[in-house]
Amino acid sequence: MYRILSGSRSLSSGILAAALLPVLVFVLFCAPVAYAAPPSFTVGWSVYAGWNPYYYMARSGILKKWADKYGIVIKVQRFDYAASLDAFVAKNIDACTMTNMEALDMPAAAGVDSTSIIIGDYSNGNDAVLARNNLSLAQLPGKPILLVQKTVSEYLLERAMVINGLEGQLSKLKLLNTSDSDIVGAYLGNKGNQIAVTWKPLVSEILSQDSGVKPLFDSSKIPGEILDLLVVRSEVLNRPDGSGVKFAKAITGAWYETVAQLTGSGPDNAKALTGSAAASNDTVASYKEQLKTTYLFSSSQSATKFATDAALKQKMDLVRQFCFRHALLGQNIKSVDDVAILYTDGSVQGKKDRVRLRMDSTYMQMAAQGKL
C-alpha cells in the first residue's frame, strides 16, 4: 500500500511540475527584471555669479552626460544661501556651494567633516564697502554700517580697516545687521544710512541708483581671501561602494566643461552666458558685469595651481582667525586650532585630531591631467 501511495504521489508531482513549467518559463523570460537604482546625489547652490553655472550645467545636459558616464544620478537644487548651508549641515543634501569662511563657520563648526573638491573662483571686486558724502574709512567708527553680520561682508570691512592701519578702531564700528534682501531698500531709502557693505549684484544696483555713493574698498584688494567652493560631506565622498568618488569625478568633469563654455567663444559661450544669467533672472549684460569682478578659474590647471600654492594657507589662516575672534567656530571652542584644516600636501592648520575641513585638489588635478 505504501509503495502504491508513494508511486501515486510521485506521479502527481510529475504532472504538477509539467503544468508549472510554462509558468516558470514566462516568469524567467518575460517578467520585468528589477534593477537597483543608481546612486543619487544632490548639490545645493544659491544665486551668485560664480555659482549660477550649476543651473546651466543641469539645464544644458552637461551634468547628465558626466553622471551617466559614472553610472550615477546628480541633481542640483536652488536654495537661499543660509538655507543651503542648513540643508548641508542637516545632511539633507550631499554637496553645497559655499565660501571658505562658511565652510569653517557652518559645517566645520557644527562638527561635520567636509571636503572642498572644487575652488571655482574668488571675489575680485564683487564685495564692497560703500559710502556717501565722500566719507573715508577713518570716518566710519561711530556711524551706522549696514551689512549682514558674521559673513564675508564683516570680514571685508575688518580687512579694509586693518590694511589701512585702523585696526584699533574696530571696536568702535557700529554694525547694523541687515539681511541681503533688505539692504538695498534700507540704504537707498534713507540717506541717513551712509555706509553699507554688500556684494554684487546689490553693489551694482546701489551704485547705479545713487551717484553720491562711492566704493571705499572692495575684495580686489584682498585677492584669493573670499573663495567660492564646492564642498562635499566627507562621509559621502568616502562611501564604501565608491559612489562618492564617482560623484566627485562626475561633478568636477561637468564643472570644467561648463567653465570652458562660459569663458570660451562662439555659440557654446553664448548659451552658457545666457543660461547662467537666467539662473538669477539677470540680463546677459548684467551677468557679464558681475563676472568682471569674479576671478573665475578658467581651467583646472589654474585652479590646481592656486589650491597647491603655499599662499592659500596664509589666506585661510586669516579667515579662520576671523571666525575664532567672532566665536563662529562653534560652542566650547577655546582655540582657533580646535577646528583644523587639512591641505592636499598633508599639512594641517590646527590640531591633527580635529580636522573638520579638507582642501582637496585631487579631482581638480585629475581634470588637469585628463584623467576624469
Side-chain angles (χ1 to χ4, degrees), residues 2-114:
Y2 173 77
R3 289 189 182 196
I4 294 173
L5 289 174
S6 177
S8 176
R9 186 175 179 221
S10 298
L11 181 59
S12 298
S13 298
I15 293 171
L16 181 60
L20 288 175
L21 183 59
V23 177
L24 292 171
V25 170
F26 175 82
V27 170
L28 289 173
F29 293 100
C30 300
V33 178
Y35 292 100
S40 180
F41 302 85
T42 301
V43 178
W45 67 279
S46 49
V47 169
Y48 178 71
W51 295 331
N52 286 9
Y54 284 94
Y55 175 87
Y56 169 70
M57 183 197 302
R59 290 298 185 93
S60 66
I62 293 173
L63 184 58
K64 184 178 187 305
K65 181 184 77 173
W66 280 90
D68 288 348
K69 177 179 179 178
Y70 287 97
I72 61 175
V73 174
I74 304 176
K75 304 171 185 176
V76 297
Q77 184 175 348
R78 176 177 168 175
F79 290 86
D80 287 339
Y81 186 47
S84 72
L85 299 170
D86 289 338
F88 183 77
V89 170
K91 302 184 179 181
N92 294 328
I93 56 177
D94 305 293
C96 188
T97 57
M98 64 185 75
T99 69
N100 51 332
M101 180 173 155
E102 268 74 54
L104 282 171
D105 69 29
M106 285 292 287
V112 178
D113 192 314
S114 303

Side-chain angles (χ1 to χ4, degrees), residues 173-186:
L173 295 177
K174 185 179 178 181
L175 307 183
L176 295 183
N177 192 31
T178 310
S179 75
D180 53 322
S181 58
D182 296 333
I183 200 165
V184 173

Side-chain angles (χ1 to χ4, degrees), residues 56 258 260-278 284 287-288:
Y56 169 70
T258 301
Q261 291 188 9
L262 196 61
T263 58
S265 58
D268 283 344
N269 173 248
K271 286 191 297 183
L273 285 169
T274 301
S276 297
V284 171
Y287 186 62
K288 282 184 175 180

Side-chain angles (χ1 to χ4, degrees), residues 354-367:
R354 298 281 297 178
V355 170
R356 292 294 180 270
L357 176 61
R358 303 164 193 272
M359 301 296 290
D360 190 352
S361 65
T362 299
Y363 301 97
M364 293 184 290
Q365 287 176 324
M366 291 179 73

Side-chain angles (χ1 to χ4, degrees), residues 108 110 191-192 239 253 274 336:
K191 300 284 185 174
R239 284 180 180 174
T274 301
V336 67

Side-chain angles (χ1 to χ4, degrees), residues 232-303:
V232 185
R233 291 202 320 278
S234 299
E235 65 178 7
V236 170
L237 198 59
N238 298 323
R239 284 180 180 174
D241 64 358
S243 62
V245 170
K246 291 179 180 179
F247 163 73
K249 290 179 178 180
I251 195 72
T252 304
W255 172 256
Y256 286 112
E257 181 173 338
T258 301
V259 170
Q261 291 188 9
L262 196 61
T263 58
S265 58
D268 283 344
N269 173 248
K271 286 191 297 183
L273 285 169
T274 301
S276 297
S280 51
N281 296 316
D282 268 325
T283 64
V284 171
S286 171
Y287 186 62
K288 282 184 175 180
E289 195 272 334
Q290 294 168 51
L291 286 178
K292 286 180 181 177
T293 47
T294 304
Y295 189 95
L296 193 66
F297 289 103
S298 59
S299 69
S300 51
Q301 289 84 357
S302 61

